[in-house]
């Protein structure tokens, strides 16, 4: 299995999603890639104090500082890209900031007029913990917030909202090492972008950021031409996951749950209402994130949730 190395440099960086961005690497299906990425803001230096301004990869900062795109040879729309996360190694520092927005939701939390609050984290990869300036210690569970392909439409597209077509800023904390994310291919070559490392995050990413950090990610990228369910889905070491993305939480929920019902039908040969009845006993619905203009919901089915008599 060939292994490629993709460093985080100006030449390999992108902050928009576009089918017209030239690929920075071309691989064959089944290849492994070690990808370096900066934190979402693209800090080039560690913050000395919480919220300190340092040089950025993109001074104009139009979107996430991503690495890519990666061209996967021979892939075409209709294929499904399988991105397996073999290892995720966070940098030795990260940050969290909350309270930067002044909107109705923030005011409902009693944050009207408040200045942003910053946490600066020291990340200990050996111990698997992060410690902030207040002495709070949390367990690390690193993953990438952004794993995605550009929309099929021409032009430059924001990296902020997750999309049902191509993924992107999914921010699902379940996608740790050992997980595989399945993305329907939107453009020839797939043009995979990776970045937005999170050392730890709660479901919802309620403050708008996780523990944002640089990341070294090892992925194996393959291609499927048949998948058990349409749309974006994943298999983790413990569960099957389907996703929904929409500005309306009800529609996002229906999208995630509907895909999971299809998966249950495929697994157990059920008609759809029976699949819904079974889902009511064994499927968890979780709010993936509320931070990115589009609600994310994921449905979770434990690998051992349904046995046979």
């Amino acid at each position: 299995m060939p292994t490629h190395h993709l460093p985080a440099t100006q030449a390999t960086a992108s902050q928009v999603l576009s089918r017209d961005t030239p690929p920075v690497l071309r691989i064959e299906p089944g290849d492994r890639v070690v990808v370096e990425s900066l934190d979402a803001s693209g800090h080039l230096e560690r913050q000395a104090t919480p919220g300190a301004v340092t040089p950025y990869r993109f001074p104009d900062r139009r979107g996430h500082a991503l690495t890519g795109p990666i061209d996967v040879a021979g892939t075409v729309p209709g294929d499904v890209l399988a991105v397996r996360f073999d290892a995720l190694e966070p940098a030795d520092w990260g940050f969290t900031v909350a309270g930067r927005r002044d909107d109705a939701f923030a005011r409902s939390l009693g944050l009207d007029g408040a200045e942003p609050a910053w946490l600066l984290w020291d990340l200990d990869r050996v111990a698997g913990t992060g410690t902030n300036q207040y002495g709070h210690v949390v367990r690390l569970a690193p993953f990438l917030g952004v794993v995605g392909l550009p929309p099929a439409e021409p032009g430059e597209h924001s990296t902020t909202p997750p999309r049902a077509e191509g993924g992107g800023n999914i921010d699902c904390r379940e996608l740790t090492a050992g997980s595989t994310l399945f993305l329907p291919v939107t453009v020839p070559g797939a043009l995979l972008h990776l970045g937005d490392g999170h050392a730890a995050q709660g479901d919802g990413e309620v403050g708008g950021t996780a523990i944002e950090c640089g990341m070294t990610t090892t992925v194996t990228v393959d291609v499927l031409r048949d998948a058990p369910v349409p749309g974006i889905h994943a298999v983790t070491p413990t569960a099957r996951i389907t996703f929904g993305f929409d500005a309306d939480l009800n529609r996002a929920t229906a999208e995630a749950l509907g895909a999971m019902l299809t998966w249950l039908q495929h697994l157990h040969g059920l008609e759809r209402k029976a699949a819904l009845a079974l889902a009511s006993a064994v499927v968890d619905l979780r709010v993936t994130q509320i931070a990115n203009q589009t609600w994310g919901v994921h449905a979770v089915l434990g690998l051992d949730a349904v046995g046979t008599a």
Side-chain angles (χ1 to χ4, degrees):
M1 177 189 301
T3 299
H4 309 267
H5 295 266
L6 194 57
T9 67
Q10 187 71 42
T12 66
S14 177
Q15 61 172 341
V16 296
L17 297 173
S18 172
R19 63 178 298 157
D20 300 318
T21 303
V24 297
L25 176 67
R26 189 171 191 268
I27 66 173
E28 296 291 332
D31 285 1
R32 178 175 291 165
V33 189
V34 180
V35 181
E36 296 177 4
S37 57
L38 302 177
D39 64 49
S41 296
H43 287 96
L44 296 172
E45 298 175 7
R46 180 189 178 108
Q47 291 179 332
T49 58
V53 175
T54 71
Y56 298 104
R57 172 69 72 208
F58 298 103
D60 58 345
R61 283 191 292 166
R62 298 169 57 198
H64 296 81
L66 304 179
T67 303
I70 300 170
D71 182 293
V72 185
T75 54
V76 295
D79 294 341
V80 175
L81 205 66
V83 183
R84 176 181 169 83
F85 303 99
D86 299 316
L88 295 120
E89 182 177 311
D92 60 6
W93 76 281
F95 72 90
T96 306
V97 58
R100 291 187 293 187
R101 295 180 181 175
D102 183 14
D103 55 19
F105 182 73
R107 290 189 289 273
S108 74
L109 299 176
L111 301 177
D112 189 17
E115 290 296 317
W118 291 79
L119 301 176
L120 184 60
W121 300 88
D122 289 310
L123 307 180
D124 187 332
R125 294 187 294 269
V126 176
T129 58
T131 305
N132 67 27
Q133 73 269 27
Y134 298 109
H136 304 136
V137 180
V138 302
R139 181 174 295 115
L140 303 185
F143 70 98
L144 292 181
V146 176
V147 183
L149 320 176
E153 295 76 18
E156 295 182 342
H157 301 268
S158 171
T159 66
T160 299
R163 297 176 174 87
E165 302 80 21
N169 195 18
I170 297 173
D171 282 335
C172 181
R173 66 191 292 256
E174 310 282 348
L175 300 178
T176 53
S179 302
T180 301
L181 178 65
F182 298 92
L183 299 169
V185 173
T186 52
V187 296
L191 300 182
L192 175 64
H193 296 67
L194 302 167
D196 187 23
H198 291 172
Q201 179 200 294
D203 283 330
E205 198 182 16
V206 295
T209 58
I211 298 182
E212 308 289 331
C213 66
M215 193 79 74
T216 299
T217 305
T218 303
V219 293
T220 300
V221 182
D222 214 337
V223 178
L224 301 179
R225 290 182 169 83
D226 55 346
V229 290
I232 299 170
H233 57 287
V235 177
T236 77
T238 60
R240 297 179 175 91
I241 298 178
T242 53
F243 295 92
F245 310 107
D246 200 280
D248 184 290
L249 180 61
N250 289 327
R251 288 196 292 266
T253 301
E255 184 179 319
L257 181 56
M260 184 56 75
L261 297 185
T262 299
W263 211 341
L264 281 168
Q265 290 183 271
H266 175 82
L267 289 169
H268 300 290
L270 299 172
E271 59 92 15
R272 199 157 182 84
K273 287 185 178 179
L276 179 59
L278 182 58
S280 198
V282 298
V283 171
D284 294 317
L285 287 178
R286 299 174 184 164
V287 176
T288 319
Q289 51 83 11
I290 64 173
N292 299 303
Q293 303 172 4
T294 300
W295 288 88
V297 174
H298 58 286
V300 182
L301 174 66
L303 296 180
D304 60 355
V306 182
T308 55

